[in-house]
Amino acid sequence: MIIITMTAFIIFIILKMSLVVFDYDDTLFPTTFMQHHQDLKKRDLQELDRMLVQLMRTIKLARHTIIIISNGSLNWILDSSSTFLPNFYKFIQSNNIRVISARDIYEQSQTPYENWKKFTMIGTCILPEYSAMQGLIGIGDSPIDQNAVRDTGIVLGKPFQFIKFEPEMSLEALTQTIAQSVGFFRGF
């Protein structure tokens, strides 16, 4: 289920050419659910795979730029998506969607875990290739994601909106939430 305020609709109308930053674990991939259901096969995730590609296409058609920033390792993200979400994996590869692991950047440092994503998001969003973006849209399931989007929006001085997914959803609930997100982005 998507938790969003009415102001989000107004902001989405304004925010064409925004940077859309996704979390990975429990937002795009049902990590927690998979940990409790280790007998799942690739075929069980086919509908999620299809809906994720549809969501990414819809966002790109709306002239937004997509980035995935995770506190998971890059190897985990690439291995899990290529194994269980092959069409999604192919889509992010063929569309040059940047996938960044905050863990790989900060794990060996003294930086607290809670700040990894925020520092990664700020450092990424200030790069010259993103300077034309008119706003920031973050999608995730945790307060860490929400704080990273808020703090990055403040640093950039650009409008921002966070779309909160329910944490630790079942595979079916995540697939339904992704489907709802497709409809939401189609409206803009």
Side-chain angles (χ1 to χ4, degrees):
M1 172 193 284
I2 302 171
I3 300 173
I4 194 161
T5 63
M6 283 303 292
T7 58
F9 290 104
I10 296 165
I11 290 173
F12 268 94
I13 292 168
I14 297 168
L15 294 183
K16 289 297 178 184
M17 291 185 55
S18 291
L19 188 58
V20 180
V21 181
F22 281 94
D23 172 46
Y24 182 74
D25 291 308
D26 294 330
T27 301
L28 297 174
F29 188 83
T31 306
T32 302
F33 184 79
M34 296 279 292
Q35 290 170 346
H36 298 293
H37 298 86
Q38 295 182 0
D39 58 334
L40 285 175
K41 306 286 187 256
K42 182 167 62 172
R43 70 177 179 276
D44 298 322
L45 281 81
Q46 284 178 332
E47 183 62 13
L48 176 61
D49 191 25
R50 188 180 73 74
M51 293 309 305
L52 284 169
V53 171
Q54 194 172 354
L55 176 61
M56 297 299 144
R57 277 196 183 114
T58 302
I59 292 170
K60 289 191 74 65
L61 284 172
R63 297 181 34 209
H64 299 299
T65 299
I66 303 166
I67 298 177
I68 299 167
I69 298 179
S70 175
N71 276 342
S73 75
L74 186 59
N75 285 338
W76 157 250
I77 297 165
L78 298 178
D79 289 348
S80 60
S81 62
S82 65
T83 301
F84 291 101
L85 305 169
N87 296 311
F88 171 70
Y89 175 79
K90 287 175 194 164
F91 186 87
I92 62 176
Q93 295 297 311
S94 64
N95 286 275
N96 298 313
I97 294 175
R98 190 178 229 168
V99 180
I100 304 167
S101 168
R103 173 178 301 279
D104 292 352
I105 296 168
Y106 289 104
E107 188 170 40
Q108 300 302 317
S109 74
Q110 297 297 316
T111 305
Y113 173 82
E114 298 79 28
N115 291 331
W116 291 357
K117 189 171 286 187
K118 173 175 62 174
F119 292 162
T120 301
M121 194 176 295
I122 291 169
T124 301
C125 291
I126 62 172
L127 294 172
E129 60 257 41
Y130 303 118
S131 64
M133 295 295 115
Q134 296 178 11
L136 175 66
I137 302 165
I139 303 171
D141 69 308
S142 76
I144 289 174
D145 301 324
Q146 188 170 9
N147 293 338
V149 171
R150 181 200 62 223
D151 293 348
T152 302
I154 290 169
V155 167
L156 295 175
K158 296 190 178 189
F160 62 91
Q161 180 65 46
F162 180 70
I163 300 172
K164 186 175 187 325
F165 281 15
E166 290 290 332
E168 302 180 4
M169 287 187 272
S170 69
L171 175 59
E172 181 181 348
L174 180 58
T175 303
Q176 290 173 351
T177 300
I178 295 296
Q180 290 173 346
S181 300
V182 171
F184 183 75
F185 276 96
R186 273 199 183 127
F188 302 99

